[in-house]
Amino acid sequence: MTPLPGKLTLEFSRAADRPRLMHMFNPAVKGVSDPNGFVAQRESSVIDHALARGGVVFLSDENGEAQTVTATYHLHDKNQKPSQRHRYTEVGTTLARLPGFNSARLAITAMTLKEWWTAAPRERFIAEIDVANSGSLHTFFNGLKWKHVKDKTRAQALQTLCDEGLAPSERGMPVEWFTTTPAVLKNQARILLDFMDQGGLINKKSGTLIPVDFSALDHVGLTRKRLEAMAAGTLKRRDLLAIQP
């Protein structure tokens, strides 16, 4: 068994982080974190854009090696003007190497809130999950309390839009769609605060704690006071900006 890291650091990406992200797709690594191949490969240009704008979060060990990642992707309408803000942000490409620690839940929550704070979509956040991926379905529905997209017409439109960023061999797979509401975003802040309060990741069976350095959240403006206000229902940016660190 691979030894557990002594501590983790939450980090948001830079363009130079491509090798760190691609390491998670190394067959020897991905075969352990995603043995059923549920996590789809993305087009190279889509990955580069996500990395360069800080759209990927890493939970990295003492050696800088990623133990969990979540990436986000900006989705634009085909007829959208270049000057317009993206319509949706897809939360996807989550790979975790720490079974039992809920590290994916932390990564998804931190990345969603960072995107909402720094580059919010015009409409909402979305996520597509393979219909057979019971673990991720449980994470989004039960753990994170995201909402199912039940409208079949909207779900098909999202599928068409998202397929453009997938590698050709990954397109058209049967998926379930999830999305956020203001209440969901409020809950994401509460979840993130809970991770901070417990000091990091705790294994739900053994009780083992892996400490996490959360300082990257402060660096992007998601201070504890702002997260507490969000968890209490304050979601207007001007109100949150008025809260001093």
Side-chain angles (χ1 to χ4, degrees):
M1 180 180 293
T2 303
L4 291 173
K7 64 177 180 179
L8 296 167
T9 300
L10 188 150
E11 303 174 275
F12 297 110
S13 64
R14 302 165 298 161
D17 285 325
R18 173 177 259 276
R20 296 174 69 201
L21 179 59
M22 289 300 98
H23 178 69
M24 295 293 282
F25 283 90
N26 180 304
V29 177
K30 190 172 184 288
V32 175
S33 61
D34 181 35
N36 295 303
F38 290 134
V39 178
Q41 181 63 272
R42 305 284 172 150
E43 293 282 24
S44 181
S45 60
V46 173
I47 291 174
D48 287 342
H49 179 259
L51 287 165
R53 62 176 177 75
V56 181
V57 67
F58 296 91
L59 291 176
S60 304
D61 63 20
E62 304 95 323
N63 299 313
E65 186 170 320
Q67 296 296 317
T68 300
V69 299
T70 290
T72 55
Y73 308 105
H74 291 176
L75 303 181
H76 303 262
D77 289 327
K78 288 184 177 180
N79 57 353
Q80 186 174 326
K81 296 179 181 179
S83 59
Q84 284 185 300
R85 191 156 37 111
H86 55 289
R87 185 174 182 182
Y88 302 107
T89 297
E90 182 191 357
V91 177
T93 312
T94 296
L95 291 164
R97 302 166 63 186
L98 299 167
F101 282 90
N102 284 326
S103 63
R105 191 177 301 183
L106 169 57
I108 293 166
T109 300
M111 194 66 250
T112 300
L113 291 178
K114 190 265 186 182
E115 278 288 294
W116 177 83
W117 180 246
T118 62
R122 282 188 292 125
E123 288 197 21
R124 60 186 63 195
F125 291 87
I126 55 174
E128 58 173 326
I129 309 296
D130 189 296
V131 295
N133 190 349
S134 59
S136 289
L137 291 172
H138 175 80
T139 293
F140 274 89
F141 188 66
N142 300 103
L144 301 174
K145 309 297 184 185
W146 284 44
K147 304 299 181 183
H148 271 115
V149 176
K150 296 181 179 180
D151 184 287
K152 293 184 179 180
T153 300
R154 168 167 283 196
Q156 183 56 53
L158 290 173
Q159 179 91 50
T160 301
L161 198 60
C162 287
D163 274 357
E164 295 177 8
L166 295 176
S169 61
E170 306 279 8
R171 297 172 185 171
M173 302 297 289
V175 298
E176 287 194 35
W177 287 95
F178 292 85
T179 189
T180 56
T181 63
V184 170
L185 291 172
K186 172 183 172 181
N187 190 53
Q188 305 309 283
R190 180 69 266 159
I191 292 171
L192 189 50
L193 286 166
D194 288 344
F195 277 111
M196 295 168 71
D197 288 342
Q198 68 185 21
L201 301 175
I202 296 178
N203 187 286
K204 55 191 176 184
K205 292 183 179 180
S206 69
T208 302
L209 169 69
I210 303 178
V212 175
D213 180 348
F214 292 98
S215 58
L217 295 170
D218 287 321
H219 295 159
V220 298
L222 284 175
T223 63
R224 183 176 182 91
K225 289 182 179 179
R226 287 173 178 159
L227 288 170
E228 288 173 344
M230 292 172 64
T234 300
L235 294 176
K236 290 185 178 180
R237 186 177 178 81
R238 66 175 179 270
D239 295 334
L240 293 168
L241 284 170
I243 299 173
Q244 296 303 310

